[in-house]
Amino acid sequence: EAQVTQNPRYLITVTGKKLTVTCSQNMNHEYMSWYRQDPGLGLRQIYYSMNVEVTDKGDVPEGYKVSRKEKRNFPLILESPSPNQTSLYFCASSLIGGFGTGELFFGEGSRLTVL
Amino acid sequence: ILNVEQSPQSLHVQEGDSTNFTCSFPSSNFYALHWYRWETAKSPEALFVMTLNGDEKKKGRISATLNTKEGYSYLYIKGSQPEDSATYLCAFIRDTGNQFYFGTGTSLTVIP
């Protein structure tokens, strides 16, 4: 089954404790991206990757890191989480990014709470 | 930061009513406009990908139109059903093709 898998789905952590949210896709997609969803705001892009070893900042990259060492994986790293990073996070992948019919396929979301 | 606006923010309609909502986006540097359907406790799923001015797409009772010159897209639902209840998101893709800018969504509730 074609899917984007995120882990963990739910996490409560404390300020400053490094954490990683994993994202994996099995569709051989070139493009992967991370978004955060906050009340009253649309999905905001954190980072995206057009291909292996190619990553770039979205609109809200502060406090986050990513890596793309393999095509299928795109982890989101919070080196020192703060309460303002409490949010619902989505990973998404696309065959060719925004070009052509590059619709996004979303993971199930990861709800993160930073105390 | 690029602005994509959706209206109305929320909508309640009776089963069987037809409805429509709007996505407004910058008319410059346009590459594509996506519509997604997001049901509660699930992930957003793509409805339409639109790239050409004047594009019209249809999937069952749902259709969409695109005007890139004036920067808007309409989503129409004909004969709304309770299962249409969801948040509908639009996403603007600029001509670099690498960034997606989402609106805040229109929350639709269809009352049986």
Side-chain angles (χ1 to χ4, degrees), chain A residues 3-102:
Chain A
Q3 58 186 5
V4 179
T5 304
Q6 294 179 227
N7 279 297
R9 297 283 315 282
Y10 302 91
L11 180 64
I12 300 174
T13 190
V14 295
T15 299
K17 186 176 181 183
K18 180 179 177 180
L19 69 93
T20 299
V21 186
T22 63
C23 175
S24 181
Q25 52 93 5
N26 63 0
M27 294 170 279
N28 202 35
H29 284 172
E30 302 281 337
Y31 181 92
M32 297 186 75
S33 54
W34 278 101
Y35 302 84
R36 60 179 289 174
Q37 168 71 43
D38 301 293
L41 300 173
L43 286 165
R44 292 181 294 167
Q45 194 168 33
I46 304 171
Y47 269 95
Y48 62 92
S49 170
M50 298 294 282
N51 212 326
V52 174
E53 301 292 1
V54 180
T55 63
D56 213 338
K57 296 177 182 179
D59 282 339
V60 288
E62 295 79 19
Y64 305 96
K65 287 174 60 177
V66 292
S67 68
R68 187 96 182 270
K69 292 185 170 55
E70 305 165 280
K71 197 172 189 178
R72 63 182 292 128
N73 296 323
F74 191 46
L76 180 70
I77 303 156
L78 286 72
E79 292 272 2
S80 183
S82 62
N84 65 11
Q85 293 179 295
T86 293
S87 188
L88 175 62
Y89 291 88
F90 284 101
C91 178
S93 72
S94 169
L95 185 60
I96 48 173
F99 294 115
T101 59

Side-chain angles (χ1 to χ4, degrees), chain B residues 2 4 7 9 16 23 30 36 49 51-55 61 64 70 72 81 87-88 92-93 101 106 110:
Chain B
L2 196 144
V4 177
S7 62
Q9 191 173 2
C23 172
F30 175 88
Y36 291 83
V49 174
T51 57
L52 298 175
N53 185 44
D55 242 357
R61 293 178 292 97
E70 296 182 42
Y72 64 84
Q81 298 297 308
T87 296
Y88 292 83
F92 169 82
I93 295 90
Y101 299 91
T106 292
V110 181

Side-chain angles (χ1 to χ4, degrees), chain A residues 31 45 48 98-99 104 107-108, chain B residues 31 36 43 96-98 100-101:
Chain A
Y31 181 92
Q45 194 168 33
Y48 62 92
F99 294 115
L104 290 171
E108 293 179 302
Chain B
Y31 186 83
Y36 291 83
S43 308
T96 51
N98 51 15
F100 289 71
Y101 299 91

